[in-house]
Amino acid sequence: MASQVSALRLFDLIHSHRVTAAIYVAARLGLAELLRDGPRTPRELAKATGADEGALGRLLVALSTIDLCSRTGGGSYALTEVGARLDGEAAQSFKGWAIFEAELLSKTWSGMLETVMTGKTAAELQGFASSFDLMGRSPDLVGKFNVAMTELTRLVTPDILRSYDFSGISHLMDVGGGSGELLGAIAQQNRKLRGTVFDLPRCAEAASQHLQQTGISDRVEFVAGDFFKSVPAIADAIILKSIIHDWNDARSISILRNCRAALPGNGKLLLVERLMPETPAATDEDKAHALSDLNMMRGPGGCERTREQYRELIEQSGFALAAVHPAGRFNVIEARSA
């Protein structure tokens, strides 16, 4: 009996990709938006989406088994609390991530064996320097990537704001800050803070629009540049969220040394990253960290690091580890100029 239970558990794990596919179809059909105002029948949803009624009904059954919707009276379906996060206008939506995961990540993961055998990323195996160089050739993929990253940042931002006191910082620069989602939230909470979002020129339009919409464009600006070349010396603190895990040690040190050169003697460095446990266990959190580590290996070539590995990286870059502030599944790793 024990062997049968373990075999069935493995069987369920093997076809986990089917769950991703079902969620993706729901996202692309906009089912969460259609169910936002209340239950609807498969026939009503089929008419609204143009889908085949019978096939859509079977999809809804599958979605109900993973708690994205529930069946109500009269054969209608209603959104669950989990399913509501697939609404693109939800406060903590993951619709963009569902599309990004299915259209980009799941496809590149099909070549994981080649990466494990060679130690090379998907991009390197195709002759590109990094996954970002490869993705940059497709504006559509860049757009989907940016939406997904914004959604993840929006999810973890409340934990970051609870875990770290930004009130002592006068000018904070978010290096690799994308559309300014994180810095915007920090600036809204700290009304005296001035800020700079620093990223590639392609992020300028989205960042400027976001900063204006959040009403902080008078004290937070966007500056274009490349953190591998230099970082502007304009702030007394620098924050990088989910940047260092993208890169190997050599490239990470290059980024961090540029940050060190840009900071004053009493400057602060804040890294928002996952921390791999020294001995990962079979828990949801450790699984998330380990799978993210594989994603970095197959994608940009970075890794998820332990606290000790971050300490070594920080010290090699001219900083000293000051503290680690837990923030949900992430951490705010605080360092000072050494």
Side-chain angles (χ1 to χ4, degrees):
M1 179 62 75
S3 62
Q4 184 181 25
V5 170
S6 58
L8 285 172
R9 183 183 178 194
L10 176 61
F11 179 67
D12 289 340
L13 289 171
I14 290 170
H15 61 235
S16 298
H17 67 98
R18 300 179 188 182
V19 175
T20 302
I23 295 173
Y24 168 70
V25 175
R28 289 304 301 259
L29 291 178
L31 295 183
E33 288 85 351
L34 291 170
L35 294 173
R36 181 191 298 157
D37 297 324
R40 300 180 74 171
T41 65
R43 175 169 293 183
E44 291 171 326
L45 292 171
K47 184 177 180 179
T49 61
D52 178 82
E53 181 182 343
L56 182 58
R58 292 164 72 172
L59 175 68
L60 289 165
V61 170
L63 294 174
S64 70
T65 68
I66 56 174
D67 194 31
L68 264 66
C69 63
S70 60
R71 190 162 184 168
T72 63
S76 296
Y77 285 86
L79 274 182
T80 62
E81 187 175 344
V82 175
R85 300 311 108 196
L86 209 57
D87 184 336
E89 295 183 12
Q92 291 185 326
S93 172
F94 266 114
K95 179 176 183 176
W97 193 284
I99 293 171
F100 174 65
E101 185 82 34
E103 293 188 2
L104 182 64
L105 294 187
S106 65
K107 292 179 180 179
T108 189
W109 268 61
S110 65
M112 184 63 75
L113 176 61
E114 195 172 9
T115 289
V116 171
M117 296 301 293
T118 64
K120 294 183 178 181
T121 67
E124 288 170 342
L125 289 165
Q126 296 180 60
F128 293 89
S130 77
S131 59
F132 293 107
D133 293 333
L134 178 59
M135 183 173 61
R137 301 169 70 89
S138 173
D140 180 57
L141 287 181
V142 171
K144 290 174 181 176
F145 172 83
N146 289 340
V147 170
M149 294 306 110
T150 296
E151 289 179 349
L152 179 59
T153 299
R154 194 171 292 155
L155 177 72
V156 304
T157 292
D159 290 326
I160 295 170
L161 293 175
R162 282 191 291 267
S163 71
Y164 192 81
D165 182 7
F166 293 90
S167 63
I169 297 172
S170 60
H171 191 147
L172 178 64
M173 178 163 51
D174 189 348
V175 171
S179 64
E181 184 71 33
L182 176 58
L183 185 53
I186 295 171
Q188 285 181 305
Q189 189 182 75
N190 297 269
R191 297 295 178 178
K192 295 181 179 180
L193 181 87
R194 297 192 63 80
T196 300
V197 179
F198 181 72
D199 212 322
L200 295 172
R202 67 188 183 204
C203 298
E205 183 178 354
S208 297
Q209 182 178 10
H210 179 70
L211 297 176
Q212 289 179 354
Q213 289 177 343
T214 51
I216 56 173
S217 57
D218 59 327
R219 53 194 176 92
V220 180
E221 63 175 350
F222 179 87
V223 173
D226 183 344
F227 52 49
F228 283 116
K229 295 179 179 178
S230 66
V231 173
I234 54 178
D236 58 314
I238 288 175
I239 189 167
L240 302 95
K241 181 203 160 289
S242 300
I243 300 297
I244 299 305
H245 81 149
D246 284 337
W247 308 104
N248 61 27
D249 285 359
R251 303 202 78 181
S252 294
I253 289 171
S254 176
I255 298 168
L256 294 175
R257 284 180 176 171
N258 284 339
C259 291
R260 175 65 188 87
L263 285 170
N266 61 347
K268 295 180 182 179
L269 174 75
L270 304 172
L271 305 180
V272 179
E273 296 283 0
R274 299 174 184 269
L275 281 183
M276 281 287 286
E278 293 291 345
T279 307
T283 66
D284 288 342
E285 184 168 332
D286 287 3
K287 178 178 71 174
H289 294 341
L291 293 178
S292 180
D293 181 59
L294 290 182
N295 196 45
M296 294 303 101
M297 181 176 72
R298 177 66 180 164
C303 64
E304 301 299 349
R305 296 174 172 90
T306 64
R307 176 182 177 132
E308 179 61 21
Q309 287 172 326
Y310 269 111
R311 184 190 64 77
E312 293 175 358
L313 204 63
I314 285 168
E315 289 181 354
Q316 292 179 61
S317 306
F319 292 97
L321 180 63
V324 174
H325 308 270
R329 286 190 176 181
F330 287 73
N331 300 267
V332 179
I333 304 168
E334 181 180 4
R336 303 294 179 94
S337 302

